[in-house]
Amino acid sequence: MTTDYSSALRAASDAAGNQHYPAGALYVVATPIGNLADITLRALQVLQLCDTIACEDTRHTQQMLRAYGIDKSSHQLLAVHQHNESEAAQGVVSLLQQQKRVAYVSDAGTPGISDPGARLVATVHAAGLRVMPLPGASSVTTLLSAAAVGATSEETSGFVFQGFLPAKAGERASAVETLAAEARAVVLLEAPHRILALAQSLAVLGERQVTVGRELTKQFESIAQMPAAEFASWLQADSHRQRGEFVLVLHPAPVAAQGGGNTKLLKLLMTELPLKTAVKLAAEITGEHRNALYEEALALKKEDSDDTLGPGGPA
C-alpha cells in the first residue's frame, strides 16, 4: 500500500512556508533512517523550495522525493558522495554564489555524521557562505534514547560516537582494546556482513552491556540488550538477527565488583590476548591495581595448566 503524503506537503507549506529561507545557502537536511513518516515538515518545505538537491545517491533520493510527491528533474539532482565530495563541493559553492538554494541529503539520517557531508559543509564555510542545518532522524540518538545508558548514578554521563570499527581483524581487536578503556557509552555502527565478526571481537569486554538496534524505525525493528560476551551467541541463535543495518551502544564500563569480581573478565580476556595485555586491559576496565590482577591471572593460568595435565601430572 502506497502512503499519500499530499496532506503532509500541505501541512509543511502551512507550518513552515512563511519562514525565511535565504538564497545562497546550503541546507543540510536530515532524512528518515527507514520510516518515511519520520520526515519533518521543514525538511519537506525545503526539499520543495530548493533549486538543487545534492545527494549521496541520486537514484535513492529521487525515489524518496517521488514517495513524498515532490517533483524534481534529474538536472536538479547533484551527486555528492564519498568518492567525489571534495570536487563536487566546488560545484555546490558555485551554485550558492549564484544565489541558488541547495539542499544536501545523505541516503538516510543526518548528513556529515557517518555519511558524507562534512567535507561539503567545510568547503561552504571556507567560501564564506551560509550553512543551515535542518534537524531530524538520526540512528545515533534513536538508539541512545532506548538504551537507558544514564539510568544509574554510577554510570559516567555522555557518550562517544565511534561509528564503524576497522574491517581487518587485528585492527578491530586493537580498536576494541581502546574502547575498553573508555568509561563513557560508545555508539558503533555495523553492516550485516560484518556484524558477527564485530560481536566476536566485543566478547572480550565480558559483562559490559551492549544494546543492539537492528533495522531501526522499520517493520522488523528489534532492540535487545545483553552482556558483550553473549552478543555473538545471540546473533547465531537466529539467522534473522544478522540481517539489516545495525547500531550498537556499548554501555559505560561498570564499577568493579569487590572481592573476586575480576576472575570472569580475566578469563575472557586471556582466551583472546597475551597475559600481560589481558591484565593491562582488565586494569583499565575495572580500575583495579595491575599487580593484583597480574597475580590473579598467573594463578588462573596455572590452574588451567593443572587442569590440562590432569590429576596424574606429567607423563
Side-chain angles (χ1 to χ4, degrees), residues 119-307:
R119 281 181 286 180
L120 170 61
V121 169
T123 302
V124 172
H125 278 308
L129 298 165
R130 188 168 181 179
V131 176
M132 296 186 65
L134 273 65
S138 165
S139 62
V140 175
T141 53
T142 296
L143 187 60
L144 278 169
S145 69
V149 294
T152 64
S153 59
E154 290 82 13
E155 291 174 322
T156 304
S157 61
F159 70 93
V160 176
F161 175 70
Q162 182 67 35
F164 291 91
L165 293 187
K168 293 182 178 179
E171 295 175 3
R172 187 171 57 245
S174 296
V176 171
E177 183 176 343
T178 301
L179 291 182
E182 174 56 64
R184 294 168 293 179
V186 181
V187 179
L188 303 171
L189 305 177
E190 195 50 275
H193 65 282
R194 288 205 307 259
I195 190 62
L196 182 57
L198 175 62
Q200 291 167 338
S201 297
L202 292 175
V204 299
L205 301 181
E207 293 300 310
R208 191 163 175 177
Q209 292 291 301
V210 178
T211 294
V212 182
R214 185 180 67 86
E215 293 290 86
L216 292 178
T217 79
K218 301 177 184 178
Q219 181 179 359
F220 298 107
E221 171 186 278
S222 67
I223 297 174
Q225 193 172 109
M226 68 206 73
E230 298 176 9
F231 184 19
S233 59
W234 178 83
L235 284 172
Q236 292 172 311
D238 184 344
S239 61
H240 289 90
R241 292 175 180 171
Q242 298 181 45
R243 298 177 182 176
E245 299 300 319
F246 290 85
V247 187
L248 313 174
V249 173
L250 180 63
H251 287 231
V255 176
Q258 295 188 3
N262 304 314
T263 302
K264 185 174 182 180
L265 175 60
L266 276 172
K267 285 183 175 180
L268 284 167
L269 292 173
M270 288 167 63
T271 61
E272 301 289 336
L273 302 168
L275 187 142
K276 287 185 177 180
T277 305
V279 168
K280 177 178 178 290
L281 192 53
E284 291 173 345
I285 294 172
T286 65
E288 293 289 321
H289 290 295
R290 192 177 298 185
N291 288 345
L293 290 169
Y294 188 73
E295 292 298 324
E296 184 173 354
L298 287 175
L300 289 171
K301 186 175 182 180
K302 183 177 184 302
E303 180 182 309
D304 288 342
S305 177
D306 290 344
D307 289 343

